[in-house]
Amino acid sequence: MSTYENVLVPIPLPPESDTLRRAVAAYLARFKGQSRVHTESDLRAYLTWCSSHGLDPLTAQRPHLELYIRWMQETRRYKPSTVSRRIAVVAGFYRTCVIDAVLAHSPAEHVRRPNVPTESPTLGLTHLQFEAMLASGRTSSNVNDFALVAMLGLLGLRIFEACGASIEDLGEEHGHRVLRVTGKGGKVVLTPLPPAVARAIDRAVDGRIDGPILRTSRRTRMDRHCATRRLHRLAEAGGVHVARMHPHMLRHTFVTTMLDAGVDLRDVQIAARHADPRTTMRYDRARKNLDRHPNYILAAYMAAGT
């Protein structure tokens, strides 16, 4: 099996599509870690759709991509953000094909993408619900529960970052206890640990010197599915009633609670490790609150002249 075939085992491609196989491999080679996993998943969805319609992706035209978008919207009922993300992956693939001279022009160049709402549709927890989750985790007999809620809700880690964290990633930097976090694209950052989070992690580590911080009841590394089940139990125990509890809800709560507490948007962006401040702004539930309007700050600053 060739190197390209090793890369592309999960993606269904006709055996004769050597050019397409190389084009996909060249595009995916730009990514690594979880970014690679998610990009591969989105591209696989498009290639599967092309295969089901008897369409060679390298001969696709703009109308085909418009039909793909319509299929995601009307048949699969995907949210605008999901449709936009998936078509962005497809556009990136075709852009790479043009760069590599596989195609003369990209069929995705003038494709109309759906408008993504300026506010995140994901619902975070309210302040009281977040407190209830923390209390439920703190009193749980499972030492991993409080650490899980703290790492997601008080550090703002993504679920793969929390589950992937190991004891060896703990350390000290300039007098601060820190956790070395490997995020999207393999980027490594040092996240300071507030005392409450440090205590929760120490309790979960329980004197061990290596291995995962978060473990299952079988002493194996916790994964996102186990974490989701633990959060469901904690929500039930704490009387937190939400339509669908999932790990990202706590990361969402991390951002919204910071913004509600008056933390500067730039500082929240840095803490959440958002590449674009517009991503952080989508979480700001109170940005339409007139009490926070900058006009008042300016008027107070210039009070002496008015």
Side-chain angles (χ1 to χ4, degrees):
M1 185 177 289
S2 69
T3 302
Y4 294 125
E5 288 170 334
N6 282 328
V7 170
L8 299 170
V9 166
I11 297 183
L13 295 176
E16 67 277 6
S17 302
D18 288 339
T19 302
L20 177 59
R21 196 176 295 271
R22 287 192 295 270
V24 172
Y27 177 57
L28 293 179
R30 303 169 57 198
F31 303 93
K32 57 184 177 180
Q34 288 296 310
S35 296
R36 164 66 177 264
V37 172
H38 296 149
T39 301
E40 184 175 316
S41 175
D42 288 340
L43 184 57
R44 183 191 303 118
Y46 173 65
L47 296 177
T48 301
W49 180 85
C50 288
S51 177
S52 67
H53 288 76
L55 175 66
D56 181 353
L58 296 182
T59 64
Q61 301 296 317
R62 185 192 59 78
H64 294 124
L65 297 185
E66 297 281 4
L67 288 173
Y68 177 56
I69 292 175
R70 184 66 61 83
W71 173 79
M72 287 191 287
Q73 291 173 325
E74 298 183 356
T75 302
R76 300 307 300 269
R77 304 288 183 182
Y78 288 146
K79 295 178 181 178
S81 57
T82 301
V83 176
S84 181
R85 188 196 71 236
R86 288 197 166 185
I87 203 64
V89 167
V90 174
F93 166 67
Y94 282 122
R95 186 163 54 247
T96 302
C97 288
V98 173
I99 293 172
D100 295 340
V102 176
L103 295 175
H105 304 285
S106 168
E109 188 173 344
H110 298 292
V111 170
R112 296 168 295 178
R113 302 185 189 183
N115 292 324
V116 179
T118 55
E119 295 184 5
S120 173
T122 301
L123 295 177
L125 301 175
T126 65
H127 184 77
L128 291 178
Q129 288 175 327
F130 187 26
E131 284 189 341
M133 288 293 292
L134 288 169
S136 185
R138 189 182 302 109
T139 58
S140 172
S141 59
N142 188 325
V143 296
N144 295 281
D145 286 345
F146 189 35
L148 173 64
V149 176
M151 292 172 76
L152 297 177
L154 294 177
L155 297 185
L157 300 189
R158 300 175 177 90
I159 185 58
F160 78 86
E161 296 168 342
C163 292
S166 297
I167 297 172
E168 297 88 335
D169 297 324
L170 295 170
E172 289 193 10
E173 188 77 16
H174 300 299
H176 297 271
R177 288 200 65 185
V178 296
L179 175 67
R180 188 173 67 250
V181 177
T182 302
K184 285 185 175 181
K187 295 179 181 177
V188 178
V189 297
L190 293 179
T191 298
L193 302 179
V197 180
R199 289 194 298 269
I201 290 177
D202 288 341
R203 185 181 172 199
V205 169
D206 194 25
R208 291 179 289 123
I209 60 174
D210 58 15
I213 293 177
L214 299 175
R215 299 189 298 174
T216 67
S217 57
R218 296 189 299 275
R219 309 301 186 198
T220 59
R221 183 180 293 275
M222 186 181 292
D223 61 16
R224 65 173 57 245
H225 304 294
C226 177
T228 301
R229 290 193 296 269
R230 295 306 310 166
L231 292 176
H232 283 166
R233 293 189 180 97
L234 291 174
E236 184 177 355
V240 177
H241 304 292
V242 293
R244 187 172 67 91
M245 173 62 72
H246 53 86
H248 186 68
M249 187 174 287
L250 283 170
R251 175 170 163 81
H252 185 111
T253 302
F254 167 80
V255 177
T256 56
T257 304
M258 270 194 174
L259 291 169
D260 289 346
V263 179
D264 183 75
L265 177 68
R266 175 60 178 167
D267 292 334
V268 178
Q269 179 194 348
I270 293 171
R273 289 168 285 125
H274 288 151
D276 191 329
R278 289 174 296 183
T279 304
T280 312
M281 289 178 63
R282 296 186 67 225
Y283 290 81
D284 192 354
R285 293 179 295 199
R287 61 181 168 171
K288 296 181 181 178
N289 184 352
L290 294 180
D291 293 336
R292 283 175 43 185
H293 201 284
N295 286 1
Y296 292 117
I297 299 175
L298 177 61
Y301 183 74
M302 298 301 297
T306 59

